[in-house]
Amino acid sequence: MGLGMLNSRQHVAGTVVLLETENTANVVLVPNPSQSSLDPLRWPRWKKDLTLFGISLCAGLGGIQGVCLSVATAQIAEELKISILKAETLNTYQFLAVGGACAIAAICSRIFGKRPVYLLSAILELAAAIWNVKAVSYSSVLGSRILYGLGIGAFESLVLATIGDIYYVHERGRGVAFYSFLALGCSQLSPILGGHITDRYGWRTQLWILVAFWVTALLLLFFCCPETSFDRPLNNETNLTIGEDDVDSSPINTQQHTTGDTNTEKPMVHDRELLDGRNGDVPRSYMSELVPLRRPGNGLNPLSAILRFFITGFYPIVWFSFVVVSTYLAWFVGISITLAQVFASPPILFTATKLGYLNTFGFPCALAAELVLHLFADRSCKWLARRNNNLYEPEFRLVMIIPAIIVSVIAFSLFGWYVGKIALTREIDWVVASFIWGMIVFSLVVGQSVSFSYLLDAHSEISIEAGMFVVMLRNFFSYGAGTFLPRWLERSGVATTFYTIAGLQGGLIAVLSVFFFVFGKSIRSYMSRHSPMKALHVDVAPIE
């Protein structure tokens, strides 16, 4: 095989014919849409996008709730009569709760479906915001933050599987990019307004505003986001269905055909009766879709669901995704937590308003990352597939991590130099510091999107467990970074700390990305032939 990748003699799950001809207008529909009118792949495009928007909005509000106290650390420390270091821990313990919630959410979504997990998570987020407003002691505030962590787990990890439920392979890159933009970009708007609100009205006011948004988001989630779990054959990802470029509104059903080393059966022509839903099942009414709890047909028994979650740890690509996502986010979280330590202390002495201004470029840079991914994430895969005999490999997703690596190394190095060195000799400009922060946000959005897209395409059959497993470990790692980074900064200084982070980030991610681009298909082939899920008989395990 060309493009620098090692080939495998066996057919590998995730490797699919993406283009019917060299003309990219003829795109193969992967996964193969079923004949059922209940298949989310056959939803109209507006319904898919509205569902993704509602869930991503909740993820964005969760991100805002997670960082809203960072600009008010000094005020909270003064009100609760605790040190700034102790006040910063209010933004770290929540990561332990998120990690624990991920395992619970993965298991429950396999048994009961994703919709009830999302609804319960949103209710917990709303309750946590109200509790946070009413809290008057350190232990009470900490309790509200832990409850927040329990709620946000599903919106940080289960969305990956939802995108796999409703979008085809050639659409997923943009879907993951949009989710990452809302989940991470919205959190950059909060400190800008939150710093001003904290200085003028107190830190609790921004939480009251957040409560109002959560009520709106919960209504949107209930009325516009139906269940996406669907009983699809495990080998469906490799079934080839020929469609057209405009596949989102009217998927074209074809005859299911096998994929082997060299042969495939030809597809059928259009079947409009199937598109109209006259294929033996009855489409659900809108009111029927609002039922909060609808057990999916492929629901697992609890023991199988628990085993699947922990068996996910045997997949190397899951660990690669964890390293990429966790390192980018951990340093991002660590900087957010230490804003007051770095910028509100001598010699900089920023107020809460100026601390909030540091996030000004965060949202535009997140938007720039979304634009880059929207334009190139899926198109680059089609371009590479055309040069690979029309075969798509999930490793093609890794090409887009190049800008994330370059920008992150430059950003962390500049942050260490500007904040650690220049601040000692003259007053620093918050605009420059904010732009550097925006570069970090850009690399975070791109890095997370690429990593999640690769994981979803490489192991779509375990997307629920894999997403949860990665996010669980990522939050444990973020907790460690949020606890360790303040002391590291105190001991080594800003410059040395961020020069080290820049070197680690660039070297580690670059080496791992090249390794998985070259050997990723061989790894997928081995895991497909020696599947831990099949070995322990939990690959299907439907409830009787």
Side-chain angles (χ1 to χ4, degrees), residues 61 114 258:
L61 291 176
K114 301 180 185 70
T258 60

mmCIF file of all heavy atoms in Angstrom, residues 61 114 258:
data_model
loop_
_atom_site.group_PDB
_atom_site.id
_atom_site.type_symbol
_atom_site.label_atom_id
_atom_site.label_comp_id
_atom_site.label_asym_id
_atom_site.label_seq_id
_atom_site.Cartn_x
_atom_site.Cartn_y
_atom_site.Cartn_z
ATOM 1 N N LEU A 61 -22.491 24.259 27.500
ATOM 2 C CA LEU A 61 -22.890 24.835 28.792
ATOM 3 C C LEU A 61 -22.144 24.151 29.935
ATOM 4 O O LEU A 61 -21.772 24.793 30.925
ATOM 5 C CB LEU A 61 -24.405 24.685 28.987
ATOM 6 C CG LEU A 61 -25.290 25.543 28.076
ATOM 7 C CD1 LEU A 61 -26.763 25.226 28.315
ATOM 8 C CD2 LEU A 61 -25.028 27.033 28.320
ATOM 9 N N LYS A 114 -29.134 6.060 24.861
ATOM 10 C CA LYS A 114 -28.411 7.299 25.161
ATOM 11 C C LYS A 114 -29.330 8.418 25.638
ATOM 12 O O LYS A 114 -28.913 9.265 26.435
ATOM 13 C CB LYS A 114 -27.643 7.759 23.917
ATOM 14 C CG LYS A 114 -26.638 6.739 23.401
ATOM 15 C CD LYS A 114 -25.930 7.264 22.169
ATOM 16 C CE LYS A 114 -25.008 6.195 21.583
ATOM 17 N NZ LYS A 114 -25.759 5.080 20.974
ATOM 18 N N THR A 258 -20.914 -8.357 0.516
ATOM 19 C CA THR A 258 -19.789 -8.692 1.373
ATOM 20 C C THR A 258 -18.550 -7.942 0.945
ATOM 21 O O THR A 258 -18.409 -7.531 -0.202
ATOM 22 C CB THR A 258 -19.511 -10.206 1.306
ATOM 23 O OG1 THR A 258 -19.200 -10.543 -0.044
ATOM 24 C CG2 THR A 258 -20.716 -10.994 1.772
#
